[in-house]
Coordinates of all heavy atoms in Angstrom, one line a residue:
N1 N 91.2 85.2 114.2 CA 90.6 83.9 114.1 C 89.2 83.9 114.9 O 88.3 83.2 114.5 CB 91.5 82.9 114.7 CG 90.9 81.5 114.6 OD1 90.3 81.0 115.6 ND2 91.1 80.8 113.5
G2 N 89.2 84.8 115.9 CA 87.9 84.9 116.7 C 86.9 85.9 116.2 O 85.9 86.0 116.8
G3 N 87.3 86.5 115.1 CA 86.3 87.4 114.5 C 86.4 88.9 114.8 O 85.5 89.7 114.5
I4 N 87.4 89.3 115.5 CA 87.6 90.7 115.8 C 88.2 91.4 114.6 O 89.1 91.0 114.0 CB 88.6 90.9 117.0 CG1 88.0 90.2 118.2 CG2 88.8 92.4 117.3 CD1 89.0 90.2 119.4
T5 N 87.5 92.5 114.2 CA 87.8 93.2 113.0 C 88.4 94.6 113.2 O 88.2 95.3 114.3 CB 86.6 93.4 112.1 OG1 85.6 94.1 112.8 CG2 86.0 92.0 111.7
N6 N 89.2 95.1 112.3 CA 89.7 96.5 112.2 C 89.6 97.0 110.8 O 89.9 96.2 109.9 CB 91.1 96.5 112.7 CG 91.2 96.5 114.2 OD1 90.8 97.5 114.9 ND2 91.8 95.4 114.8
Y7 N 89.3 98.2 110.7 CA 89.2 98.8 109.3 C 90.0 100.1 109.2 O 90.1 100.9 110.2 CB 87.7 99.2 109.0 CG 86.8 98.0 108.9 CD1 86.1 97.5 110.0 CD2 86.7 97.3 107.7 CE1 85.3 96.4 110.0 CE2 85.8 96.2 107.6 CZ 85.1 95.7 108.8 OH 84.3 94.7 108.7
A8 N 90.5 100.4 108.0 CA 91.0 101.7 107.8 C 89.9 102.7 107.8 O 88.8 102.4 107.4 CB 91.7 101.7 106.4
D9 N 90.2 103.9 108.3 CA 89.2 105.0 108.3 C 88.6 105.3 107.0 O 87.4 105.6 106.9 CB 89.8 106.3 108.9 CG 90.2 106.2 110.3 OD1 89.6 105.3 111.0 OD2 91.0 107.0 110.8
S10 N 89.3 105.1 105.9 CA 88.8 105.4 104.6 C 87.8 104.5 104.1 O 87.0 104.8 103.1 CB 90.0 105.5 103.6 OG 90.6 104.2 103.5
V11 N 87.6 103.3 104.7 CA 86.6 102.3 104.2 C 85.6 102.0 105.3 O 84.6 101.2 105.0 CB 87.3 101.0 103.8 CG1 88.4 101.3 102.8 CG2 87.9 100.2 105.0
K12 N 85.7 102.6 106.5 CA 84.7 102.3 107.5 C 83.3 102.7 107.0 O 83.1 103.7 106.5 CB 85.0 103.0 108.8 CG 86.2 102.5 109.5 CD 86.5 103.2 110.8 CE 87.6 102.6 111.6 NZ 87.9 103.4 112.8
G13 N 82.3 101.8 107.3 CA 81.0 102.0 106.8 C 80.7 101.6 105.4 O 79.5 101.5 105.0
R14 N 81.7 101.3 104.7 CA 81.5 100.9 103.3 C 82.0 99.4 103.0 O 81.4 98.7 102.2 CB 82.3 101.8 102.3 CG 81.9 103.2 102.4 CD 82.5 104.1 101.3 NE 83.9 104.1 101.4 CZ 84.8 103.7 100.5 NH1 84.3 103.2 99.3 NH2 86.1 103.7 100.6
F15 N 83.0 99.0 103.7 CA 83.6 97.7 103.5 C 83.3 96.8 104.7 O 83.3 97.3 105.8 CB 85.1 97.7 103.3 CG 85.6 98.3 102.0 CD1 84.7 99.0 101.2 CD2 86.9 98.2 101.6 CE1 85.1 99.6 100.0 CE2 87.3 98.8 100.5 CZ 86.5 99.5 99.6
T16 N 83.2 95.5 104.5 CA 83.0 94.5 105.6 C 83.8 93.3 105.3 O 83.8 92.7 104.3 CB 81.5 94.1 105.7 OG1 80.7 95.2 105.9 CG2 81.3 93.1 106.8
I17 N 84.7 93.0 106.3 CA 85.5 91.8 106.2 C 84.8 90.7 107.1 O 84.3 90.9 108.1 CB 86.9 92.1 106.7 CG1 87.8 90.9 106.5 CG2 87.0 92.5 108.2 CD1 89.3 91.2 106.7
S18 N 84.9 89.5 106.6 CA 84.4 88.3 107.3 C 85.2 87.1 106.9 O 86.0 87.2 106.0 CB 82.9 88.1 106.9 OG 82.8 87.8 105.5
R19 N 85.0 86.0 107.6 CA 85.8 84.8 107.3 C 85.0 83.6 107.6 O 84.1 83.6 108.5 CB 87.1 84.8 108.1 CG 87.0 84.7 109.6 CD 88.4 84.9 110.3 NE 89.3 83.8 110.1 CZ 90.6 83.9 110.4 NH1 91.1 85.0 111.0 NH2 91.4 82.8 110.2
D20 N 85.4 82.5 107.0 CA 84.8 81.2 107.2 C 86.0 80.3 107.5 O 86.7 79.9 106.7 CB 84.1 80.7 105.9 CG 83.4 79.4 106.1 OD1 83.7 78.6 107.0 OD2 82.5 79.1 105.3
N21 N 86.1 80.0 108.8 CA 87.3 79.3 109.3 C 87.3 77.8 108.8 O 88.3 77.2 108.6 CB 87.3 79.2 110.8 CG 87.7 80.6 111.4 OD1 88.2 81.5 110.7 ND2 87.4 80.8 112.7
A22 N 86.1 77.3 108.6 CA 86.0 75.9 108.1 C 86.6 75.8 106.6 O 87.1 74.7 106.2 CB 84.6 75.4 108.1
K23 N 86.5 76.9 105.9 CA 87.0 76.9 104.5 C 88.4 77.7 104.4 O 88.9 77.8 103.3 CB 86.0 77.6 103.6 CG 84.7 76.8 103.5 CD 83.8 77.5 102.5 CE 82.5 76.8 102.4 NZ 81.5 77.4 101.4
N24 N 88.9 78.2 105.6 CA 90.1 79.0 105.6 C 90.0 80.1 104.5 O 90.9 80.4 103.8 CB 91.3 78.1 105.3 CG 91.7 77.2 106.5 OD1 91.5 77.6 107.6 ND2 92.2 76.0 106.2
T25 N 88.9 80.8 104.5 CA 88.6 81.8 103.5 C 88.2 83.1 104.2 O 87.4 83.1 105.2 CB 87.5 81.3 102.6 OG1 87.9 80.1 101.9 CG2 87.2 82.4 101.5

């Protein structure tokens, strides 16, 4: 909820996760 991210090694540098808490998305 606070924006701390973790990625699988296979996607690091290629994928980006983000969220919009106001939209629960």
Side-chain angles (χ1 to χ4, degrees):
N1 184 264
I4 300 173
T5 60
N6 280 291
Y7 296 93
D9 288 341
S10 60
V11 306
K12 287 181 179 177
R14 299 189 297 121
F15 291 10
T16 302
I17 188 171
S18 61
R19 66 190 290 172
D20 184 339
N21 290 341
K23 297 180 179 180
N24 289 325
T25 300

